[in-house]
Amino acid sequence: MTSKRFKNPRAEHGYQGRPCSILSVGSYVPERIMTNAELEKLVDTSDDWITTRTGIKERRIAADNEFTSDMAAMAARRAMDAGKITADQIDLIIVATITPDMLFPSTACLVQHKIGARRAAAFDVEAACSGFIYALEIGQQFITSRTYDTVLIIGAEKLSSIVDWKDRNTCVLFGDGAGAAILQSLPNSHGLLTACMGADGEKSELLYMPGGGSMCPASANSVAAGLHFLRMDGKETFKNAVNAMYTAALEALRRCELKISQIKCVIPHQANRRILEAVGERLGVTKDQVFVNLDRYGNTSAASVAIALDEAVSTGVVKRGDLVLLVVFGAGLTWAAAVIEW
Ligand code: UT7
């Protein structure tokens, strides 16, 4: 069993698969720090506005010659080192991203080459800020079904490449980075208790990038119209984020028959401190229970909870045996939650 102490929701459905554990995690953020003061020089904004409306103080920006696959590979190597995994052990690589190096091939294939995981199958998942938990749930299926023994999942983004640096509504919010996890089955050990996912495509235009796909291929006109930049209706996205994250978190807890008070650490998608506070308040968690690092990284989309989980583990906030609730929300709309016994 994944856990002797907690309910395994899969058992409830007579599911006979083996348990899935997170063996190790790792993350990477680019060296360059962009502060709010720097943004004051780019757009009509202020450190005070950004801090009070979002909680963000600074974010990391990848170098011009540093791509999503480079950051993903760095995070992957760190997770592999932490789990003492060699590249030839990896069966599958799943990269969650909305900022792939290019439309195709997948960033996962580029990462496969960069880390030398020649045996691994590789594909990308696009679920925006929810991508890492989508990848976790997909990766878990391959472990529990015994299809693969070692799965590498990564959330990685170079959001600085799709942000309109003249739009103060969005450019202050986002940053670059990557986080990774190695999934294996470790019987009688810690593991993933449940993960649930959801989506609502009717609200796709709350947060989207219209240009560059089959609907609006890149052209001089599309570039001139700024269609290759991320667009967001902030207020509506905010409301949907709070509702969806709260509902997903409740569903994950219900499946494991856990109370929120049993959760040591809630790791939410790091979009906006006010969203985190609103979700936390509705769930009835204490401030100490919620892990926050958005002040240093801003919103890194699919990388967000992956980086946060790695930091929570490496700083000792999360220890072996602790129950962790991951909850995310993003473009799509998409949302997801997972409970892990770390
Ligand atoms: O990761 C996926 C999920 N993403 C999110 O969850 C993001 C959700 N949304 C948000 O976090 C917030 O809606 C924002 C931080 C984007 C905006 O905060 P808000 O409290 O909803 O502000 P607002 O959009 O209603 O704007 C309030 C005012 C406006 O001015 P007026 O119209 O009242 O004169 C904006 O033009 O603040 C203005 N404003 C700014 N002022 C200074 C917007 N951006 C800025 C800025 N600096 N950067």
Side-chain angles (χ1 to χ4, degrees), residues 45 49 53 129 168-169 172 234-235 269 272 274-275 299:
T45 191
W49 191 96
R53 304 310 290 170
C129 307
R168 70 174 183 173
N169 291 296
V172 301
K235 266 207 167 2
H269 169 50
N272 183 320
R274 290 184 295 137
I275 294 178
N299 181 347

Side-chain angles (χ1 to χ4, degrees), residues 68 96-100 125-129 156-159 162 209 230 301-302 331:
T68 297
T97 188
I98 52 165
T99 48
V125 167
E126 203 213 75
C129 307
E157 301 285 10
K158 185 172 176 175
L159 293 168
I162 59 164
M209 189 178 93
L230 166 164
S301 189

